[in-house]
Amino acid sequence: MIEEPQEMRSRKMNERLDRVRPAMVAAGIDVLLVSPGSDLRYLTGYDAVPLERLTCLVLPVDGEPFLVVPALELPAAQAVPGLDVELVAYAETDDPYALVGHRLNANARRPRVAGVDDHMWAAKVLDFRHALSTVEQTLAGTVLRELRMRKTPAEVESLRRAGAAIDRVHAAMGEWLRAGRTERAVAADIKDAIVAAGHASADFAIVAAGPNGASPHHEASDRVIGAGDVVVVDIGGRMPDGYCSDSTRTYALGEPPADFTDYYAVLLAAQQAQVAAVRPGITASELDAVGRDIIAAGGYGEYFVHRTGHGIGLDVHEDPYIVAGSARVLEPGMAFSIEPGIYLPGRHGARIEDIVVCTVDSGGRDGGQHGGERLNLTDRQLTIL
Ligand code: ZN
Ligand code: ZN
Ligand code: ZN
């Protein structure tokens, strides 16, 4: 991995902080309180571990940001490349919530509304409520999701690298996925391969054989995979720069059942049509319908039991969600999964999942690319191992 030079990172951070302020004004938020998690990593590059002691970025709309850290975490925070905010360390017996309150109340304009990050621990939210008793709390996500959803070219490149890494694992699936092995053993090998392919961590490996394939989020079990089983394999991890991968392929060990072959063709047509329909201006709801209509017309509508997909970035599930009823208009830079599935309870199931980035609509001049770029490129035809 090529390390980014320090000044490039801090420029990126300042850009993000600059973009967040107008969004705060529009949302009527006076200060953001961001604890460890993807939002903090997005804003500062600091991949802090969420612990009971408070670590929190305090970002006033009209003042300098500062990061409150426990004294014992100070060296770790100081070591973050390009972390260009004032670090405020507190001693073990200090009250960091009161500290934040004092500093904010010293401002000429006292904050009235604080946006707390969507994943802040409830205990910390309540401690802030106590320390900032006149400040109304709201979710920072209303502001941060609008930023995080629109990926920069550098973020898209990160997702492209993540996609290529998980593709390498799918491409080698025959090494591990064999009849006579348990789902659990296969999943363990896949997780090792996810890391070997360049991820920092393997976050999930769904290996769902036979009737287990009808459960979309099946946990790998001790079921021994049989000859003739159809197996749904949904895998992903997090790259060293924090960006996630997520891709599903369905495999057949030997000749698949005839009823399966019928609906797999319907599913493949639906997934292809949805990817082809990705372009700026389409809504999430319309994109969901493109696949759902094809699957319903094939007679399997009642067996497609989940939304089409989810956004992906520093979190494996984030906005935008590709779901019926969502008026979210897709824009260039948005990245999300297209993962329709068909699940026949008690029999088997199938899902095909690619990450797609909405790009500028090329009008199809390049032979089929209408505004979406797939980041997963392994064969989508049923792979018979
Ligand atoms: Zn899922
Ligand atoms: Zn998945
Ligand atoms: Zn997914």
Side-chain angles (χ1 to χ4, degrees):
M1 270 221 25
I2 306 154
E3 281 298 315
E4 287 177 71
Q6 178 124 342
E7 78 268 19
M8 215 154 103
R9 287 210 187 192
S10 81
R11 199 178 326 121
K12 185 165 77 185
M13 181 182 139
N14 292 333
E15 255 166 47
R16 287 183 183 172
L17 296 181
D18 287 347
R19 283 171 67 206
V20 86
R21 285 204 174 90
M24 289 169 71
V25 172
I29 294 176
D30 302 312
V31 60
L32 288 183
L33 302 172
V34 184
S35 60
S38 300
D39 286 335
L40 184 66
R41 191 166 189 180
Y42 179 80
L43 289 171
T44 67
Y46 186 19
D47 181 23
V49 186
L51 294 169
E52 72 290 356
R53 293 186 185 93
L54 183 73
T55 290
C56 187
L57 175 72
V58 181
L59 176 60
V61 71
D62 54 1
E64 286 302 308
F66 57 95
L67 185 73
V68 174
V69 291
L72 80 167
E73 304 281 353
L74 187 60
Q78 284 168 332
V80 177
L83 183 62
D84 191 18
V85 288
E86 182 193 356
L87 297 175
V88 180
Y90 63 92
E92 194 75 300
T93 53
D94 288 351
D95 177 353
Y97 302 91
L99 174 86
V100 171
H102 287 310
R103 285 189 66 126
L104 288 177
N105 287 333
N107 263 14
R109 219 177 110 254
R110 288 181 168 208
R112 285 170 298 108
V113 181
V116 299
D117 79 82
D118 291 17
H119 301 282
M120 187 182 283
W121 292 5
K124 296 185 165 70
V125 175
L126 294 182
D127 281 344
F128 270 126
R129 185 173 296 176
H130 182 73
L132 301 163
S133 56
T134 61
V135 175
E136 186 192 323
Q137 292 180 333
T138 186
L139 291 176
T142 49
V143 165
L144 294 177
R145 86 165 60 92
E146 296 299 322
L147 269 66
R148 287 182 50 185
M149 214 168 12
R150 297 171 175 88
K151 268 73 182 177
T152 62
E155 288 183 284
V156 171
E157 184 52 36
S158 290
L159 286 170
R160 207 177 272 127
R161 277 196 296 267
I166 207 69
D167 279 2
R168 288 195 287 278
V169 180
H170 270 300
M173 195 54 62
E175 289 181 29
W176 316 294
L177 183 54
R178 288 192 301 272
R181 307 194 70 204
T182 65
E183 292 174 347
R184 199 185 302 282
V186 172
D189 286 346
I190 291 173
K191 284 192 167 179
D192 290 345
I194 289 173
V195 173
H199 295 83
S201 61
D203 293 347
F204 56 93
I206 295 174
V207 178
N212 291 340
S215 166
H217 276 176
H218 173 73
E219 285 284 326
S221 75
D222 288 323
R223 179 192 160 86
V224 176
I225 299 166
D229 271 358
V230 162
V231 189
V232 179
V233 180
D234 184 352
I235 56 178
R238 192 179 299 269
M239 299 291 279
D241 64 5
Y243 286 82
C244 295
S245 65
D246 185 6
S247 176
T248 309
R249 292 292 182 262
T250 301
Y251 299 88
L253 299 182
E255 203 52 46
D259 57 343
F260 174 86
T261 314
D262 289 345
Y263 72 78
Y264 191 83
V266 173
L267 180 66
L268 183 58
Q271 207 263 1
Q272 305 272 34
Q274 284 182 301
V275 174
V278 172
R279 60 180 160 74
I282 192 170
T283 68
S285 189
E286 288 165 348
L287 186 55
D288 180 81
V290 167
R292 205 164 296 278
D293 289 352
I294 291 172
I295 290 172
Y300 296 98
E302 66 185 289
Y303 303 114
F304 177 16
V305 294
H306 55 70
R307 65 190 176 209
T308 287
H310 52 85
I312 188 167
L314 289 170
D315 282 317
V316 68
H317 285 190
E318 59 179 50
D319 287 277
Y321 293 97
I322 310 302
V323 61
S326 167
R328 168 67 64 188
V329 176
L330 299 186
E331 297 173 32
M334 290 183 179
F336 43 84
S337 67
I338 298 283
E339 50 175 310
I342 295 176
Y343 311 95
L344 269 52
R347 286 153 77 187
H348 32 62
R351 180 164 65 255
I352 304 169
E353 173 179 25
D354 293 316
I355 303 304
V356 179
V357 181
C358 186
T359 58
V360 176
D361 194 341
S362 64
R365 287 185 303 273
D366 54 356
Q369 255 222 14
H370 282 272
E373 178 194 346
R374 284 188 204 259
L375 303 189
N376 298 108
L377 302 171
T378 58
D379 197 359
R380 264 157 240 102
Q381 300 289 337
L382 183 68
T383 303
I384 299 180
L385 295 176

